[in-house]
Amino acid sequence: MADSTELETRREEEYEMQLLGFHSRAVYATLESIVQETIKSKCKKLCKTLQTKYDSNPEKLRELEEVEKQLIQIYCTRAIPHLKNIESTIKKFIFIPKHVLLKEDKCQRTQYTDEEFQKLQEHLKDLQQRAKRATIINAAVKEELSTVDQLQSCIAKNNTMCDITENSFPNLDTNRNMLTVLEYYKEFHNKLSCSLIETQKEKYNPFENIEGEICDFDSL
């Protein structure tokens, strides 16, 4: 019974130490030491005063020293009940209630059976898998959105180029006529080149001596 009480006291002191940085027994021991030192100091001072005042001889001095020890013992004995009250007061103010938990112990507020703990483990594993899949899907969606943004940018640029082209060539029939004339000219030039003797100069400068008539392409 005494061992279990001492063990419980040790646990309480350990909890006080973790929460406050000190425990009730250490506080009581400090105050007890202060009280005892005060008693000894006062008794020694009293005996020293008597010795100085009455100039005791060696025999009386030995008796005075013995009386000093007895006086200290009496005061310390008479102080025990008061020290007990001090100890009770210290425990009252420093004692940590059972419902108070340390921050690191709050996770143990609710106790679980092995079966409940296993279910929680499985649920946690499922949540981790779902979180992993969500991360992968999120990355894929971001990549698709980036591709869509790039595609929209390309479409906008192409639309701009189409608008510029349409505004630059408003008359498509005229453009077709110009292409037809160029094709005819190319065919005529090829036939003419085949019927003439080609010199080295003409070979490397085929258009230098050609004097063509200026054509008004707008009238075509």
Side-chain angles (χ1 to χ4, degrees):
M1 184 66 179
D3 293 339
S4 61
T5 304
E6 180 65 19
L7 181 60
E8 184 66 23
T9 302
R10 292 289 184 181
R11 288 177 179 174
E12 292 175 356
E13 291 175 355
E14 181 180 358
Y15 211 66
E16 292 168 356
M17 192 68 185
Q18 292 177 359
L19 186 62
L20 304 175
F22 57 88
H23 53 77
S24 57
R25 184 179 299 193
V27 175
Y28 172 72
T30 301
L31 292 178
E32 183 183 24
S33 176
I34 292 173
V35 170
Q36 291 178 352
E37 289 297 328
T38 302
I39 291 173
K40 292 178 181 179
S41 175
K42 295 298 182 181
C43 291
K44 287 181 179 295
K45 186 176 181 180
L46 176 61
C47 293
K48 185 68 174 178
T49 302
L50 292 174
Q51 179 183 354
T52 303
K53 184 175 182 179
Y54 296 104
D55 193 18
S56 302
N57 55 43
E59 184 178 353
K60 294 292 184 181
L61 182 59
R62 286 193 296 271
E63 292 180 2
L64 187 60
E65 290 176 352
E66 187 65 27
V67 170
E68 177 186 336
K69 293 179 182 179
Q70 294 176 2
L71 186 62
I72 292 174
Q73 183 65 35
I74 292 172
Y75 270 109
C76 288
T77 303
R78 296 293 178 87
I80 290 177
H82 302 286
L83 290 174
K84 292 293 183 181
N85 293 333
I86 292 174
E87 184 179 12
S88 299
T89 303
I90 291 173
K91 288 183 177 180
K92 178 181 178 181
F93 283 97
I94 298 181
F95 176 74
I96 299 176
K98 299 295 183 181
H99 66 277
V100 177
L101 295 176
L102 294 176
K103 184 177 181 180
E104 56 269 24
D105 293 338
K106 288 183 178 180
C107 59
Q108 300 181 8
R109 183 189 299 273
T110 304
Q111 299 295 321
Y112 297 95
T113 63
D114 293 340
E115 183 179 355
E116 291 174 337
F117 180 75
Q118 184 65 27
K119 289 182 179 179
L120 289 175
Q121 287 288 93
E122 293 175 357
H123 183 59
L124 176 61
K125 185 176 180 180
D126 180 63
L127 290 177
Q128 290 174 341
Q129 292 294 333
R130 291 170 61 183
K132 184 177 180 180
R133 290 194 297 269
T135 302
I136 295 174
I137 293 174
N138 186 40
V141 169
K142 286 184 178 180
E143 185 176 357
E144 290 295 331
L145 290 175
S146 177
T147 303
V148 170
D149 291 339
Q150 294 177 2
L151 181 60
Q152 289 178 346
S153 177
C154 292
I155 291 174
K157 291 180 180 179
N158 290 336
N159 290 335
T160 302
M161 294 300 297
C162 290
D163 293 338
I164 294 174
T165 303
E166 290 177 358
N167 294 331
S168 300
F169 303 100
N171 193 344
L172 296 179
D173 293 336
T174 301
N175 295 333
R176 293 192 185 96
N177 292 333
M178 291 177 64
L179 292 174
T180 302
V181 171
L182 290 175
E183 289 292 334
Y184 287 157
Y185 176 78
K186 184 178 180 180
E187 183 179 357
F188 173 74
H189 178 266
N190 290 335
K191 291 181 179 180
L192 183 62
S193 297
C194 292
S195 61
L196 296 176
I197 299 174
E198 186 178 31
T199 64
Q200 291 293 326
K201 182 178 181 180
E202 291 172 344
K203 180 178 180 180
Y204 295 102
N205 299 280
F207 298 101
E208 183 177 354
N209 297 324
I210 295 178
E211 295 181 359
E213 182 180 355
I214 298 175
C215 298
D216 186 4
F217 290 102
D218 293 334
S219 62
L220 296 176

